[in-house]
Amino acid sequence: MRTPTAPSVPTAAAPVALRLLRLARPRMWPPLIGLLLFGWGLGHWTLAAPLTGVIGLLQLILAWTALHAGALWLNAVRDQDDGPVLFGGPPDPPPAAAGPLSALALLACPLLAAPAGPGPALCALGCAALAVAYSHPAAAWKGHPLAGPLTNAVGYGGLTPLAGYLLVGRPDDPRLPLALLGCALTMASLSFAAMVWQGPADAARGDRTLAATHGARAALRAARLCLALAVLPVVIGALLGLFPRLVLLGAAMLPWADAPLRAWQGAAAPGDPSAGPGRALLYLRRLGRLCLICLGCALIDYLWDDLHGRALAGRGTAWAPTIPELEAP
């Protein structure tokens, strides 16, 4: 005989701390920290540098954790979602503390990043300011057809990996703009994909997102276009010899990464809220695997050069820019 399960606690009756944790969507945190780690790893790779900046990285992880929580709490206060959201569970009404705590978390973000250096601190300040502009009613960039995705592209795709990079690398590295542009366009693609099923809810709030004004398929077309453009900086860098030529194998897998979006666009009801988050997560997983494949190609290139006694990592590419060695701490 099956033991009856206890009834679940209604969302609104859950403890405030639990509701705040749910609203922060913890499953979004690892990909965000992964962007910091990507920038930090790129800084090591391009200089073929020994491991450095670990304490600074931990400080940035704390800062971006505060950024993540503050941004999502502020967004929850504004949106008052009653439908499915990406990485979220059942609709969770924000407690009264969410607004003040979001302000404290966003103020804390650049302060926590400051010990890591002025560059990372400025990146943190920029991300916090973008979070306010994205969700605060006075600006509400989230409700604009392009300002919302652009905010995510600049904040998460540009400033976040740049903060990690500046712990090790140098801003005069010609590889840096190509890498950041690819990250930013990928984040723009995810931003368009995340709005596909929210068009009716956005329109009801008065937001003019692309999904609200032009429908689900228009948002998916934008997501697919940004994905295609995101591969170009990687391809250009590899062809020029700034990145290992082997990463072209990963770039060739673009149709595989795009397949979930293509199938979603061809679905009978692409804006169906019940299926939207699942389809977006499938796309995100494909992107994550594609990034791992490209990193794996770079690792194979590194090991091959090491085996043959050649210059390593960014010092061993076909075109190795002249960048001063990392200064000793």
Side-chain angles (χ1 to χ4, degrees):
M1 177 181 293
R2 294 180 60 186
T3 303
T5 56
S8 59
V9 179
T11 302
V16 170
L18 179 58
R19 289 161 62 192
L20 288 169
L21 179 62
R22 288 173 177 167
L23 289 170
R25 300 188 226 171
R27 288 193 296 162
M28 285 183 68
W29 182 83
L32 173 63
I33 301 306
L35 290 168
L36 279 174
L37 292 172
F38 168 74
W40 186 64
L42 179 66
H44 282 87
W45 177 85
T46 195
L47 293 173
L51 186 66
T52 188
V54 176
I55 299 301
L57 177 64
L58 294 175
Q59 292 163 342
L60 292 189
I61 289 175
L62 287 176
W64 259 255
T65 299
L67 170 72
H68 173 69
L72 288 178
W73 288 337
L74 182 59
N75 185 68
V77 170
R78 177 189 182 270
D79 286 356
Q80 299 288 330
D81 283 308
D82 57 4
V85 293
L86 187 61
F87 286 108
D92 223 342
L101 286 176
S102 71
L104 287 175
L106 292 175
L107 285 171
C109 173
L111 297 177
L112 290 169
L122 284 174
C123 291
L125 180 62
C127 284
L130 287 171
V132 174
Y134 185 78
S135 295
H136 195 280
W141 287 3
K142 179 182 181 179
H144 189 274
L146 295 179
L150 184 62
T151 300
N152 285 317
V154 173
Y156 289 133
L159 294 176
T160 298
L162 177 60
Y165 179 90
L166 291 175
L167 293 173
V168 185
R170 303 180 62 92
D172 56 352
D173 181 1
R175 299 181 177 102
L176 182 60
L178 292 172
L180 294 182
L181 180 58
C183 281
L185 286 167
T186 301
M187 289 307 304
S189 176
L190 284 169
S191 184
F192 281 117
M195 72 172 65
V196 170
W197 67 93
Q198 294 181 317
D202 290 341
R205 275 193 300 266
D207 290 345
R208 297 180 60 256
T209 63
L210 189 62
T213 58
H214 292 78
R217 285 191 170 85
L220 284 165
R221 282 195 294 270
R224 296 183 66 192
L225 175 62
C226 289
L227 174 63
L229 293 175
V231 178
L232 288 181
V234 178
V235 171
I236 291 171
L239 291 176
L240 290 175
L242 286 166
F243 299 134
R245 299 258 163 79
L246 200 57
V247 301
L248 290 172
L249 295 176
M253 297 185 68
L254 174 66
W256 175 78
D258 177 64
L261 292 181
R262 188 168 60 248
W264 194 1
Q265 189 175 350
D272 180 7
S274 64
R279 289 180 179 271
L281 284 173
L282 175 60
Y283 172 50
L284 178 59
R285 292 190 191 104
R286 286 282 178 98
L287 281 180
R289 290 165 187 162
L290 181 61
C291 291
L292 289 176
I293 290 170
C294 289
L295 291 175
C297 290
L299 177 60
I300 292 170
D301 179 84
Y302 177 94
L303 294 174
W304 184 259
D305 285 341
D306 188 36
L307 180 65
H308 290 83
R310 295 195 288 256
L312 301 176
R315 300 296 193 187
T317 51
W319 176 20
T322 303
I323 303 173
E325 295 290 341
L326 184 69
E327 297 178 1

